Amino acid sequence: DQRGCGAAHRRLRWRCRRGMLELDWLLQGFLDAGYAELGSAGQHAFEELLGLPDQDLLEYLMERHAPTDREWAHVIAKIRRAAQA
């Protein structure tokens, strides 16, 4: 169902809206450019990352801390690469 996919994408876009402009830019850019290419495990990891507090997520994306979860680390690396493209 196309509407279901569209609604899910809109929900994710809303969850990408954060209190920090830098996070908005990184997350929404990745949602548009790289999210669809992730497998189901990567998409699930991305959605889990969206549940983190802004400061924790920013620490991962700025490489100040490294997540212990391998799938999170994989998705964070993809978000960073997408931002550099």
Side-chain angles (χ1 to χ4, degrees), residues 3 10 13 15-16 18 29-30 35 41 45-46 54-55 85:
R3 282 184 304 164
R10 283 191 301 276
R13 178 164 296 290
R15 291 184 65 203
C16 287
R18 310 301 286 227
F30 179 74
Y35 176 81
F46 180 76
D54 286 355
Q55 194 59 44

Side-chain angles (χ1 to χ4, degrees), residues 10-42:
R10 283 191 301 276
R11 278 192 299 276
L12 279 175
R13 178 164 296 290
W14 179 255
R15 291 184 65 203
C16 287
R17 294 181 54 170
R18 310 301 286 227
M20 296 180 183
L21 183 59
E22 297 88 351
L23 285 177
D24 288 359
W25 180 73
L26 287 167
L27 297 172
Q28 290 181 5
F30 179 74
L31 182 63
D32 293 340
Y35 176 81
E37 296 173 11
L38 293 174
S40 62

Side-chain angles (χ1 to χ4, degrees), residues 60-71:
Y60 288 147
L61 291 169
M62 296 295 118
E63 294 185 301
R64 294 182 193 129
H65 290 86
T68 56
D69 184 280
R70 287 181 53 207
E71 198 62 41

